[in-house]
Amino acid sequence: MKNILITGGAGFIGSNLTRSFLKNSDTVTVIDNLLTGSKKNLEPFLKNNLFTFINVDLIKTEWMTKLTGQTFDYIFHLASPASPKQYFTHQKETLLVNSLGTYNILNFFKESSSGSFLYTSTSEVYGDPLEHPQKETYWGNVNPNGERSCYDEAKRFGEAMCMTFFRKDNLNIHIARLFNTYGPNMEMDDGRVVSNFITQALQNKDITVYNKGEQTRSFCYVDDMIVGLSLLSQSQSAGEVVNLGNSIEQKIINVAHIIKKIVGSSSQITAIPYPSDVPGDDPQRRRPDIAKAKKLFNFAPSTPFEEGIQKTVEYFKSRFDL
Ligand code: UDP
């Protein structure tokens, strides 16, 4: 039985990670300020004796006193707004949780003599990439002060902070760069493409493809991502940066057609300009090179897109009034 700490555990990926550890009879403590995470995602765990929820903001240090004397086998640091709509809405919070928040949790990791630390960085560190697919060795093409910079640069800073603690303090730190992920516990209004399209399709409303939908993404089902995060945290690869995601690349327009078909919707698929709540500099192509994750811990996402979408549609039907 392991003792796990998850920051951002009320969010989409964090709550799925929490569930997988609790299923394994591990003890899980979640830190979340519910800025973009949802208490609803934690409801299934609240009566579980192995689960503790601490509702605090990582950028303030008071939470550390609540954990005094505790040591964790694994710390997963996910806390941050993560969808473009969310981080564009909460720009300062995004900058602060990835910088000051990361500093605070790394200090806790060091002082508590905990075992392993994993920081969730993002494919956004590659910006609008000029290299394709993206390998971990690529430094990216990022606008340092554009509308996405509150997220891109915050995550890049977070990586720099993790690597500094790794080099200076010789700690067991891992960095995962997460590519687009989807599945149960996504929010209906997080603005992500999969949640938007499923919601629109279920309501028979227009499916809103931004620009012409020629831009591409590669979508990983959340269960596959959870396996990748667990394997990376247990691997003997401290100080390594590793892409996690599915390497099958798709045009957004095709995603619209697939979701419409699976839902059996009568929605129209319409191309519209980028709305004002979406940050600029939309990356035009994105596909992870996952050879490093495969080599280090045999990472191989296996859920077909149609199957993952089907499960996500079922989830949306059960959770939201659509
Ligand atoms: N997108 C879209 N319609 C939507 C939401 C998103 O066409 O209703 C596009 C968006 O412009 C981007 C892609 O889908 O090119 C993925 O967007 P998302 O917000 O899911 O995540 P990102 O990969 O940009 O972080």
Side-chain angles (χ1 to χ4, degrees):
M1 205 178 80
K2 302 186 289 277
N3 195 20
I4 315 278
L5 177 63
I6 301 177
T7 78
F12 158 46
I13 296 179
S15 57
N16 279 285
L17 198 57
T18 301
R19 180 187 297 115
S20 85
F21 284 119
L22 288 174
K23 217 167 142 188
N24 205 29
S25 299
D26 296 319
T27 307
V28 180
T29 300
V30 159
I31 294 181
D32 203 301
N33 67 351
L34 302 180
L35 179 70
T36 54
S38 158
K39 191 86 189 275
K40 187 118 199 187
N41 287 339
L42 299 178
E43 258 168 28
F45 321 134
L46 292 175
K47 292 205 176 109
N48 189 329
N49 289 337
L50 299 174
F51 177 73
T52 307
F53 172 47
I54 304 177
N55 183 345
V56 285
D57 192 334
L58 267 192
I59 71 169
K60 303 186 183 122
T61 46
E62 290 92 91
W63 59 266
M64 286 197 201
T65 56
K66 297 190 193 230
L67 295 179
T68 307
Q70 288 206 53
T71 295
F72 294 90
D73 300 303
Y74 296 90
I75 297 178
F76 292 85
H77 176 32
L78 284 79
S80 173
S83 81
K85 182 178 162 190
Q86 288 169 340
Y87 61 70
F88 201 37
T89 306
H90 303 290
Q91 298 179 35
K92 291 178 185 167
E93 291 87 346
T94 303
L95 282 160
L96 286 171
V97 75
N98 284 291
S99 53
L100 196 49
T102 301
Y103 177 67
N104 288 340
I105 189 78
L106 279 166
N107 269 323
F108 173 78
F109 174 54
K110 183 179 161 186
E111 282 156 25
S112 61
S113 302
S114 291
S116 164
F117 184 96
L118 186 148
Y119 176 57
T120 51
S121 182
T122 168
S123 54
E124 283 277 346
V125 301
Y126 299 119
D128 192 5
L130 304 176
E131 254 184 40
H132 197 75
Q134 291 81 54
K135 283 196 181 74
E136 291 86 349
T137 46
Y138 178 47
W139 290 356
N141 176 38
V142 174
N143 180 345
N145 51 39
E147 289 179 342
R148 268 167 209 260
S149 62
C150 60
Y151 186 64
D152 301 5
E153 293 297 359
K155 287 289 184 187
R156 289 167 72 99
F157 182 91
E159 286 196 12
M161 183 80 81
C162 287
M163 289 308 290
T164 301
F165 273 76
F166 167 72
R167 294 192 185 101
K168 285 273 179 194
D169 302 298
N170 199 22
L171 300 176
N172 187 20
I173 292 173
H174 312 270
I175 298 173
R177 289 187 181 146
L178 277 60
F179 284 65
N180 294 67
T181 306
Y182 70 99
N185 289 12
M186 292 179 98
E187 290 301 321
M188 195 181 102
D189 58 354
D190 63 17
R192 288 185 169 106
V193 67
V194 169
S195 41
N196 272 9
F197 286 2
I198 289 179
T199 304
Q200 291 160 345
L202 284 171
Q203 295 177 323
N204 295 310
K205 291 186 175 161
D206 282 0
I207 296 180
T208 56
V209 169
Y210 302 157
N211 213 2
K212 290 190 181 122
E214 290 293 306
Q215 65 272 36
T216 69
R217 294 293 188 271
S218 307
F219 295 94
C220 184
Y221 188 61
V222 68
D223 289 0
D224 290 328
M225 180 57 71
I226 296 309
V227 170
L229 291 168
S230 301
L231 291 174
L232 174 57
S233 71
Q234 293 165 45
S235 71
Q236 305 297 313
S237 57
E240 293 291 343
V241 179
V242 182
N243 287 338
L244 291 179
N246 190 308
S247 53
I248 298 173
E249 184 182 2
Q250 310 192 56
K251 287 187 179 177
I252 295 304
I253 183 77
N254 293 346
V255 172
H257 283 289
I258 291 169
I259 290 179
K260 179 179 161 166
K261 187 162 168 227
I262 288 176
V263 171
S265 169
S266 60
S267 294
Q268 300 286 321
I269 296 173
T270 47
I272 62 166
Y274 288 107
S276 57
D277 61 355
V278 172
D281 301 326
D282 188 23
Q284 291 306 296
R285 293 189 78 184
R286 185 183 288 161
R287 172 155 71 98
D289 182 320
I290 53 172
K292 187 170 178 181
K294 180 156 181 49
K295 188 169 164 221
L296 284 176
F297 45 85
N298 213 12
F299 177 62
S302 61
T303 311
F305 188 60
E306 281 78 0
E307 185 186 318
I309 290 293
Q310 185 68 55
K311 288 182 180 165
T312 313
V313 168
E314 293 310 319
Y315 169 76
F316 270 68
K317 280 190 192 163
S318 70
R319 164 132 173 216
F320 303 110
D321 192 16
L322 293 166

